Amino acid sequence: MYAFSYHSPKTVRQAATLLGKNPDAKVLAGGQTLLPTMKQRLASPSALIDLGKAEGLSGIEVKGRNVVIGAMTRHADVASSAIVGEAIPALAALAGGIGDPAVRNRGTIGGSLANNDPAADYPSAVLALNATIITNKRKIPADEFFQGMFSTALEEGEVIVKVSFPIPSKAAYEKFPNPASRYAMVGVFVAKKGSETRVAVTGAGSDGVFRSAECEAALKARFNPKSLDGVKVKAAGLNSDIHASSEYRAHLIPVIAKRAVAKAMAK
Amino acid sequence: MSSTTGIGASVLRKEDIRFITGKGQYTDDVNRQGQAHAYFLRSPHAHATIKKLDVSAAKKAAGVLDVLTGDDLAHDKIGGLICGWMIHNKDGSPMKAGAHPALAQGKVRYVGDHVAVIIAETYAQAKDAAELVVVDYGVLPAVVDMNTASKGPAIHDVAPDNVVYDWHLGDKAATEAAFKNAKHITKIDLVNNRLIPNAMEPRAAVGDYDAGTEVFTLYTTSQNPHVARLVLSAFVGIAPEHKLRVIAPDVGGGFGSKIFIYAEETVCVWASKRVGRPVKWTADRTEAFLSDAHGRDHITHAELATDEKGKILGFRVKTKANLGAYLSTFSSCVPTYLYAPLLSGQYDIPAIYVEVEGIYTTTAPVDAYRGAGRPEATFVVERIMEKTARELGQDPAAFRRKNFVKSFPHQTPVIMCYDTGNYSASLDLALEMADYKNFGKRKKESAKNGKLRGIGFSAYIEACGIAPSAAVGSLGAGVGLWESAEVRVNPVGTVEVLTGSHSHGQGHETTFAQLVSDRLGIDINSVSIVHGDTDKVQFGMGTYGSRSGSVGMSAISKALDKVIAKGKKVASYALEASEKDIEFKDGRFSVAGTDKSLAFGEVALQAYIAHKFTGAELEPGLKEGAFYDPTNFTFPSGVHICEVEIDPDTGVTTIAKWTAVDDFGNVINPMIVEGQVHGGIAQGVGQALFEGAHYDKDGQLVTASYMDYTMPRADNLPSFQIGMTNTPCTTNPLGLKGCGEAGAIASPPAVINAITDAIGHENIAMPATPLAVWTAIQSSASKLAAE
Ligand SMILES: Cc1cc2nc3c(=O)[nH]c(=O)nc-3n(C[C@H](O)[C@H](O)[C@H](O)COP(=O)(O)OP(=O)(O)OC[C@H]3O[C@@H](n4cnc5c(N)ncnc54)[C@H](O)[C@@H]3O)c2cc1C
């Protein structure tokens, strides 16, 4: 790890000011991604702006027909939240399946989304549930937020403040883990709200999370696992590594989607 | 007392309180006054010459004490690391061992090879300074694939075709003749995947030179501190043995990888004199992946000849073994003498011929890893046995039973002479416990749920307790493989046992104390086991090859015999009786036929106060030592049965049921033995389903972290059903065979036999990941479609 300066602002506004003043600064949330990369000397921010003490960044509430989760809310808190468990149980289950207990007790939803790891779980929920990312500057719809792996619509000095999830009528997340890291190798979040069904896939795309047009089309008429029988997903544009070829990932997407739909219907 | 803490009792592990409350003292817990920290600059290339190495800027960096390179080693006349087992080629010529300097001298040969060491006040400063070292590499093509290694550039000048040796064992002519008479020949091609050891505690070292006494002390993560001292002294030339102390304190797992004498430990102890400060290094996990000696990595073609009834006539095996970029300490013997002599398995095979080529590649050195050679042999034998049974349309259990060795001692065609065993007994019990007869029903149930179910056998044998010194000497070993013990009885009757064995998870502090408690009839808490320090313990050979029970405890047993014999002499004076009338039982020396007796502790006191005899009659004191050299290997064996269920939609394999029946001979502590079996199976299942070191074509290790190297986890394993049979070993005093490696040896073929049974063809390699299984299922589906 290289040397850096450390700041602990009390408000998001102060955090944004500090970001403006320190060109190579990074905000620090749970540190579960940022600190390991710094230890490996792959990242060398000049300053860390710790959001841990900034007011108003954590907590979960229902606002109208949405569940709103503060950016600094830990995975463990989402997993065990009665509010989330009641309104969007699929989201609580997803949070409970991230990493291990240590990771879940430190890692945050804001950090996970800002990082946009192509195998992270949360991006699939945000995309399938058609959530809105609320920053210190604006509101970003899910469809515009994710811009390829490790890249998002966030601009310099922009901090995620909260995420607003519309409550779906049916939803479920099914994760097929990478055997080594247990990140998603293919993770599928399905959500039905009114007449719209959205299917978001993480872990598989070489450009990060994406919506599966094939699966969405198949489920449009009828939200039922059987609707996915025979659905073929193209291998082009999918990741290939020692754990899974792109053909295997393509095969898994409808298989896992089917399991997610079955799970959503069981609830 | 002996019933609850003696031989055969499941005594809770005495050492665990220390370990689980964080009171263990590992090498990284050792901090010496004035200690500096070492960081190793490692090669980013698999194969390159070092055209220029400039450390001048690094030397000037903040906190840096020194930056040392291969030139400094040469200047100080520090020798290279050695391989302690000479293998001869088919033509009798010696193997080709390239030099192995602890810091590169002109060339690097794998990613992670040691280029320079930076020693600084803090580890961070050393790491910072490493970025200032300028290395100009002349990059050469990597040599990764064993099949094409001979066409690659020479990794060592001494081995132009990258072949270390071309070795064979067995009777070629007899084997060819057997194949001529065969009714059926089964052929199989196998890959035994490369593994990375992943002990929980990474390797570490603290070198500490005392200028006053001119003594070097090395604290290190070693399974065999005396062997480390011998090598560092006699071959590397750090210091003569009496000026070099090696301490292996608590060690958190070894699995073989901590047998070897590595570059980092060597450099730390040497550098401590250079910089005049203690020097510490602890590997981070990536360094462990890159530079711990890896295991396995064989490519094998095997053929089994059978007659019309399915009796085995002959077996021939051709193996290429990847030895990595340098020959690690015992690497040469693993794919030869620890492998080929096990290829007779549990079977009566009249003729066997084995050829093994040892290959250099630009990858980390490969050496012994839990089982060392025997898992590789068992994989070949048990895969081809299963395949043959299938091809002959015979039940795999019945086919094995038909070919079992049934009378003992049994001389195989490949060196080994099995002293005892009862293979049918293990098979019977395993079939019963596994409910084999109802497997068909379970398979149907699985099919109803859209799952493929399969069952696989592994009837393994291993050779433990390495080994008769004269025998291994005749096969090329540079050392003898006996063990030593000293039993020191204190004046109050408590006992310290100094053993040359080393515990790094096995529980010796408990099992060895059980032996003493049993034999001397004293409280187990009155016994302590001392190991791991060359200044405290007499020369010993250390722990590997499941030898601490059969060899290490046999030495203790011999020393205890001497203590009891001396105790009888002391008692005869104290009790004023003739020595031949003294009996020792349940912790008391008594005069036969009388009620006169003394407790063990009272006799110990008499031995030390020496009031009842003169020094001319008997030496005072009660302390005896022994060296035990085994007369044969021991041969644990058993049958493991694995039942899997495969999800054809995803390729995920679930282990539905695991039955293990082992014959370890007598057992000191059943709980500890079961624990060893559990861990061994987990490791073997790891090899079969999850683990695999993967180098890309440029020689970069792709699986250099847990993001990509899959370790088995608790949720991957079922609850094991463990059974035991017992034919006590006939060649050591305690009848012990050894249990440390059995699980890892037995399990990979059991898993793969189950998977191939489920998918209906033989074409799957380890690790059978979901991708591999799914792909294999696709190929069988397309084959069916094509037919
Ligand atoms: C062992 C391990 C296993 C894991 N397994 C999984 C898994 O299975 N699934 C999964 O999804 N994830 C997994 N993770 C990642 C984990 O969820 C991380 O917590 C997450 O990716 C990052 O969140 P964080 O709060 O730790 O962010 P940090 O590491 O603190 O920050 C990550 C990045 O986001 C930026 N950032 C943080 N907060 C904000 C904000 N509010 N606004 C703008 N930018 C911000 C930071 O500047 C940094 O660039 C794992 C991590 C580990 C260490």
Side-chain angles (χ1 to χ4, degrees), chain B residues 11 30 56 135 146 161 173 241 296 324 340 379 389 393 423 514 683 692 783:
Chain B
V11 181
V30 173
S56 53
V135 196
M146 279 195 275
D161 54 359
E241 277 176 286
R296 319 271 192 264
F379 190 65
Y423 306 143
Q514 282 180 257
Q683 240 162 336
K783 233 168 62 189

Side-chain angles (χ1 to χ4, degrees), chain B residues 613-649:
Chain B
F613 55 88
T614 72
E617 295 161 311
L618 189 63
E619 286 178 18
L622 195 52
K623 182 193 89 160
E624 298 290 343
F627 286 74
Y628 173 78
D629 196 356
T631 55
N632 193 357
F633 288 85
T634 65
F635 298 97
S637 64
V639 173
H640 287 217
I641 303 177
C642 168
E643 213 169 299
V644 298
E645 197 176 59
I646 294 172
D647 177 353
D649 288 339

Side-chain angles (χ1 to χ4, degrees), chain A residues 119 121 173-178 183-188 201-205 238 244 248-257:
Chain A
D121 298 304
Y173 180 60
E174 182 76 17
K175 176 177 184 173
F176 188 82
N178 173 308
Y183 271 80
M185 200 148 83
V186 171
V188 180
V201 180
T202 186
L238 299 184
Y248 179 49
R249 281 189 166 93
H251 162 82
L252 283 174
I253 289 169
V255 169
I256 301 303

Side-chain angles (χ1 to χ4, degrees), chain A residues 26-34 51 71 75 97-100 103 106-108 110-112 114-115 120-122 154 158-160 175 182-183:
Chain A
K26 279 211 167 277
V27 297
L28 174 68
Q32 296 303 292
T33 297
L34 186 52
L51 296 181
H75 307 330
I98 296 175
D100 52 47
V103 169
R106 294 300 308 163
T108 67
S112 179
N115 192 51
D121 298 304
Y122 268 130
L154 292 174
E158 193 166 14
V159 176
I160 300 176
K175 176 177 184 173
R182 297 209 176 176
Y183 271 80

Side-chain angles (χ1 to χ4, degrees), chain B residues 185-221:
Chain B
I185 296 174
T186 310
K187 299 181 181 179
I188 200 163
D189 286 290
L190 297 167
V191 174
N192 203 289
N193 45 328
R194 177 189 272 246
L195 304 177
I196 302 180
N198 280 297
M200 209 185 288
E201 178 207 26
R203 286 189 297 118
V206 182
D208 188 357
Y209 177 70
D210 182 330
T213 58
E214 298 182 322
V215 170
F216 289 88
T217 303
L218 172 64
Y219 301 84
T220 184
T221 47

